Amino acid sequence: MSTVNETKINQLLNLQPAGVVLTSAWLSEHGYSYDLLRKYVKNNWLSSIGRGAHIRHGDSVGYLGGIYALQSQLGLSVHPAAKTALALLGKSHYLELAPKRVQLFSTRNEKLPAWYKKYDWPIKWSCKYTDFLPPDLGLVNYESRNFEVKVSNPARAIMECLYLAPKSQPLLEVYELMEGLNNLRPKTVQELLENCTSVKVKRLFLYMADKARHSWLPLINLDKVDLGKGKRSIVSDGTYISDYQLVVPKELEGLS
């Protein structure tokens, strides 16, 4: 390979941290043509992991390295969410030491590229496509190795857990997670509740926070939160909670 090309690939590798995916769209924007990328692959500078995506040759890339590319190079809203985000932030260590699957959330009309869906990541993953919260609200930076990705903050993450419940996320487990969130910022919770479009999520969130006796709950202005009208049944045969017009599992209400 020519000295010019070697200099160019070295410049490329300095632009992005190790352990991340390099998308063809981003590479093209920075002056790396398809033919040049083929040469880099041929000369073992880069390895293709699917159409539209490369990694450094011999690099070890986890799912967060893919998320980094989706967020920072392609501008997508997909992010580690729900219990996965809580685990990354150290809020669920007592529940699951070695998660078997990571949970991502993305906006309803967003599509993940084929290379991300088809690549054999070291851990299984699933993605929920929904607009029940604004895509840019309640996210924090999480540092992984030498790069950062956006993940749900604890308040948003517990709401995402409730969005998945009870079908994909046991309610009793969500409550155990809620019990540990005794230092949420009222301002953050207020903003998320006001912008959340799921009545089920808002009522369950407030019910669990009340049950857990969190000191930040009285600081929430419920007059600004639309809790809808009428009864909501989370399960068919449960206990009715009149304060929140919710039918919840008997075993949940029975917890002290």
Side-chain angles (χ1 to χ4, degrees):
M1 181 175 289
S2 70
T3 302
V4 173
N5 283 343
E6 288 185 13
T7 300
K8 197 169 179 65
I9 184 63
N10 286 328
Q11 291 174 344
L12 165 63
L13 298 182
N14 287 331
L15 284 173
Q16 295 285 281
V20 305
V21 174
L22 305 168
T23 65
S24 295
W26 182 87
L27 291 166
S28 178
E29 288 177 3
H30 288 77
Y32 296 87
S33 67
Y34 175 73
D35 287 340
L36 188 55
L37 293 178
R38 287 183 62 188
K39 291 179 181 178
Y40 290 157
V41 171
K42 182 178 179 181
N43 286 276
N44 292 329
W45 285 94
L46 296 176
S47 297
S48 173
I49 64 167
R51 185 175 181 181
H54 295 79
I55 61 174
R56 291 170 171 80
H57 184 70
D59 200 1
S60 175
V61 178
Y63 84 97
L64 288 177
I67 294 294
Y68 172 91
L70 298 179
Q71 291 180 352
S72 66
Q73 297 174 21
L74 301 183
L76 300 183
S77 70
V78 61
H79 59 276
K83 195 168 67 171
T84 298
L86 291 170
L88 290 172
L89 298 174
K91 301 295 184 180
S92 67
H93 56 279
Y94 57 92
L95 284 178
E96 192 173 26
L97 295 176
K100 299 176 182 178
R101 178 181 294 270
V102 297
Q103 180 67 58
L104 309 176
F105 267 57
S106 185
T107 56
R108 189 178 298 277
N109 60 356
E110 196 167 82
K111 293 183 178 180
L112 301 187
W115 61 261
Y116 192 91
K117 293 189 286 187
K118 294 180 180 180
Y119 186 65
D120 186 20
W121 300 107
I123 191 170
K124 300 297 181 181
W125 62 275
S126 59
C127 187
K128 188 68 176 180
Y129 300 89
T130 173
D131 298 320
F132 89 104
L133 283 171
D136 57 349
L137 189 63
L139 300 176
V140 294
N141 289 329
Y142 171 77
E143 186 173 349
S144 174
R145 295 173 60 176
N146 55 341
F147 59 88
E148 289 185 346
V149 296
K150 293 185 180 300
V151 308
S152 296
N153 67 21
R156 178 177 180 127
I158 203 72
M159 291 184 184
E160 290 166 337
C161 286
L162 291 170
Y163 188 84
L164 296 171
K167 183 177 180 180
S168 303
Q169 175 67 60
L171 274 172
L172 267 65
E173 188 176 66
V174 182
Y175 179 67
E176 290 181 34
L177 291 166
M178 173 64 88
E179 283 186 304
L181 302 182
N182 54 10
N183 60 350
L184 294 185
R185 294 180 59 194
K187 182 179 178 180
T188 298
V189 173
Q190 183 77 48
E191 191 173 16
L192 286 165
L193 286 172
E194 289 183 23
N195 286 277
C196 179
T197 61
S198 171
V199 170
K200 179 196 83 169
V201 167
K202 288 182 283 191
R203 291 190 190 180
L204 279 171
F205 180 92
L206 293 170
Y207 160 69
M208 288 188 175
D210 188 2
K211 188 173 180 62
R213 298 182 179 88
H214 284 317
S215 59
W216 46 260
L217 181 59
L219 302 177
I220 304 302
N221 185 355
L222 295 182
D223 291 337
K224 295 184 177 181
V225 180
D226 180 9
L227 294 175
K229 296 180 180 180
K231 183 173 69 174
R232 295 293 195 280
S233 296
I234 308 304
V235 292
S236 57
D237 181 23
T239 301
Y240 180 63
I241 311 299
S242 59
D243 286 351
Y244 300 98
Q245 293 184 287
L246 278 174
V247 177
V248 301
K250 295 176 181 177
E251 57 269 30
L252 174 59
E253 177 56 16
L255 294 175
S256 57

